[in-house]
Amino acid sequence: MSLIRIIVSAIYVVAQVFLARPSLVEGRQARNLLVGQTSGHHHDSELPRFAEEIQNVTVSVGRDALLACVVDNLRHYKVAWVRVDTQTILSIHQNVITQNPRITLSYNDHRSWYLHIKEVQEVDRGWYMCQVNTDPMKSRQGYVQVVVPPSIITKETSTDMVVREASNVTLTCKATGYPEPYVMWRREDGKNINYNGESVNVVDGEVLHIVKISRLHMGAYLCIASNGVPPSVSKRVSLRVQFPPMLSIPNQLEGAYIGQDVTLECHTEAYPNSINYWTTERGDMIVSGNSVSGDKYEAVATDSGYNKYMMLKIRNVGPKDFGSYKCVAQNSLGGTDGVIKLDEIPAPSTTSTTQPPYYATSAHKNGRNSNKKSRQRPIDYEVEEWRNPDYDRDYGPASMRPPGDLPDIQSPGVSHRARLVLHLSSSLLSLLLPAIRR
């Protein structure tokens, strides 16, 4: 390493001497470029000084980076850019020394000196120094941070898997990037994962290990890698769980009357997807077309993941249709079936035996409401009326009516209770009048 430093310093001296040749008058100053001017004395106010610190730069790989070095009072001194970790001279004053074609130099008014790095790579990460050849040398440093968005290492990441139920499964995801990516697993459909006895939405880490996997774990999983450098990336892994068919029947006994349409239902679960069909009591397979009008049977199956809903519609049930029907499901791992019995029930009667509701006749006032429909009143106000043209409701026989000075019980000013009292009084009076007249 010491030998490399000596060689680099020698190149630096030769380059500075070469750049100082244009003027013989300034030859001595050029020869003293690296060590400063040894003859004479200078005040600090006359020496170059850095106007500001070199700002650190963070750039994504593939983008361009720019480092700025601003020097006041530079005068006849020279500025150089050096890669610190490799001690590589990149530029001296207005000339680029490095052979790296991605590095260029620009300057402005002999004060601002810019180092350009095009299409930054990870090897460009490190410290860079701006030097001024005073005696002693003055310098400032700036850091180029090269960040790399995450990427998933395909050959080290799990692919789609098909496993048997109750087995143990391990999904692995490897990612690279700078800074080191954070990796997590979650379901594509957003549902929680039953993981180590807990229901969680996200599993942190590169490894997703599931013990005794069940059909509830079936689905697509996303491995997501992120490190704060956009964009985040993900890998989709499909996980399929194999198990033989299972069957459930909501109603094992159904009833129907002659001429009725009836529907039988059956639910199955299986993976790989099962072959499902219906059979009659005699074992004949029931086949239906595309719901053609007039067909005796209509069999429909609806899939939802590993679930399947089966429906058998029997139109215009006849005597021969009663009996047992079998729902069958089979896949490569096995098969199962369930029986539904269809019994005959009496047809509903067409004659209604419901008693009509009772509506009390409302009392009329002076005949003004005689054309209005009767309305139902609260039960404690209902009074059944007996109609007789020769008998007055309030006073008995027409010939026995009292003088007209009695109040009209139909008058709006008379309450219901008072009307009952007057009615009883008039009835009693009609009984007593014949005896009085004798």
Side-chain angles (χ1 to χ4, degrees):
M1 183 61 71
S2 299
L3 180 60
I4 295 175
R5 292 181 179 178
I6 294 173
I7 295 173
V8 170
S9 299
I11 295 174
Y12 190 52
V13 170
V14 172
Q16 293 293 341
V17 172
F18 176 79
L19 294 173
R21 291 179 56 190
S23 175
L24 295 176
V25 177
E26 298 177 355
R28 184 174 181 178
Q29 293 177 350
R31 287 194 300 271
N32 296 326
L33 182 63
L34 290 177
V35 297
Q37 292 181 340
T38 56
S39 61
H41 299 282
H42 298 277
H43 298 290
D44 290 340
S45 60
E46 298 176 356
L47 294 176
R49 62 181 180 276
F50 293 98
E52 55 190 50
E53 297 292 333
I54 298 177
Q55 299 298 317
N56 296 334
V57 175
T58 299
V59 59
S60 295
V61 65
R63 300 294 183 88
D64 296 344
L66 177 67
L67 291 173
C69 179
V70 182
V71 183
D72 287 334
N73 198 31
L74 184 59
R75 298 190 297 168
H76 56 271
Y77 291 94
K78 308 296 182 182
V79 173
W81 280 101
V82 179
R83 177 74 184 265
V84 176
D85 52 355
T86 62
Q87 296 186 353
T88 303
I89 300 174
L90 304 177
S91 68
I92 298 177
H93 215 52
Q94 299 175 359
N95 297 275
V96 176
I97 303 301
T98 179
Q99 298 299 313
N100 187 341
R102 296 184 294 107
I103 293 180
T104 58
L105 182 73
S106 65
Y107 44 90
N108 183 20
D109 298 334
H110 206 66
R111 182 175 182 268
S112 300
W113 302 83
Y114 301 100
L115 183 69
H116 300 263
I117 308 176
K118 294 182 179 180
E119 298 177 358
V120 169
Q121 301 175 5
E122 288 195 74
V123 295
D124 298 322
R125 184 185 297 119
W127 288 97
Y128 293 79
M129 179 185 292
C130 176
Q131 296 180 347
V132 179
N133 62 330
T134 56
D135 186 15
M137 177 191 70
K138 292 185 177 183
S139 66
R140 289 289 185 272
Q141 295 185 36
Y143 192 82
V144 175
Q145 176 63 279
V146 182
V147 294
V148 183
S151 63
I152 293 176
I153 306 174
T154 303
K155 63 180 181 181
E156 298 183 34
T157 299
S158 298
T159 56
D160 294 348
M161 301 179 66
V162 179
V163 297
R164 288 294 298 268
E165 194 168 36
S167 62
N168 297 337
V169 176
T170 300
L171 300 181
T172 304
C173 180
K174 294 287 186 178
T176 184
Y178 191 88
E180 184 179 355
Y182 157 74
V183 178
M184 67 177 184
W185 287 93
R186 70 173 180 84
R187 287 185 63 120
E188 186 180 48
D189 56 13
K191 295 180 180 179
N192 283 354
I193 304 172
N194 187 4
Y195 190 71
N196 293 334
E198 297 182 0
S199 180
V200 297
N201 187 256
V202 171
V203 176
D204 296 323
E206 298 177 341
V207 177
L208 175 63
H209 184 66
I210 304 175
V211 179
K212 291 185 178 180
I213 194 168
S214 76
R215 66 198 67 180
L216 299 178
H217 291 103
M218 188 183 302
Y221 291 77
L222 295 178
C223 159
I224 302 173
S226 58
N227 64 351
V229 182
S232 297
V233 292
S234 65
K235 171 72 181 297
R236 184 180 186 271
V237 179
S238 177
L239 182 59
R240 298 295 173 187
V241 181
Q242 292 183 328
F243 59 96
M246 297 183 64
L247 181 147
S248 65
I249 297 174
N251 298 305
Q252 292 181 315
L253 181 62
E254 292 282 357
Y257 54 85
I258 300 295
Q260 183 185 4
D261 292 351
V262 67
T263 299
L264 310 181
E265 295 181 348
C266 178
H267 298 270
T268 65
E269 297 180 4
Y271 189 83
N273 291 333
S274 58
I275 298 174
N276 292 27
Y277 57 91
W278 294 88
T279 65
T280 63
E281 192 172 27
R282 297 181 299 274
D284 299 329
M285 183 182 296
I286 298 174
V287 180
S288 69
N290 297 324
S291 302
V292 178
S293 176
D295 284 354
K296 183 66 176 179
Y297 301 108
E298 178 185 353
V300 177
T302 304
D303 292 344
S304 178
Y306 57 82
N307 294 279
K308 182 172 290 189
Y309 167 72
M310 296 176 61
M311 180 191 73
L312 175 64
K313 185 174 183 179
I314 307 173
R315 296 187 176 93
N316 192 21
V317 172
K320 295 182 179 180
D321 296 324
F322 297 109
S324 297
Y325 293 84
K326 185 177 291 185
C327 166
V328 182
Q330 293 180 337
N331 71 359
S332 58
L333 302 178
T336 186
D337 58 57
V339 176
I340 302 176
K341 187 175 181 181
L342 180 62
D343 283 348
E344 182 179 1
I345 59 174
S349 175
T350 57
T351 304
S352 175
T353 59
T354 305
Q355 294 293 334
Y358 168 74
Y359 294 97
T361 305
S362 60
H364 301 298
K365 297 181 180 180
N366 298 328
R368 290 177 295 176
N369 297 326
S370 58
N371 294 328
K372 293 186 178 180
K373 294 181 180 179
S374 61
R375 59 186 178 89
Q376 189 174 7
R377 300 177 62 183
I379 192 65
D380 57 337
Y381 285 100
E382 292 175 359
V383 179
E384 184 64 28
E385 298 182 10
W386 176 45
R387 303 295 183 182
N388 190 328
D390 296 327
Y391 188 88
D392 188 277
R393 183 188 62 181
D394 299 320
Y395 303 109
S399 59
M400 297 298 181
R401 290 183 182 176
D405 56 347
L406 288 175
D408 182 8
I409 65 173
Q410 298 297 330
S411 173
V414 181
S415 67
H416 182 73
R417 188 182 299 274
R419 290 173 186 169
L420 292 176
V421 173
L422 290 174
H423 176 71
L424 293 175
S425 300
S426 60
S427 299
L428 181 61
L429 183 60
S430 63
L431 295 175
L432 295 176
L433 280 176
I436 295 174
R437 288 179 178 177
R438 291 192 191 105

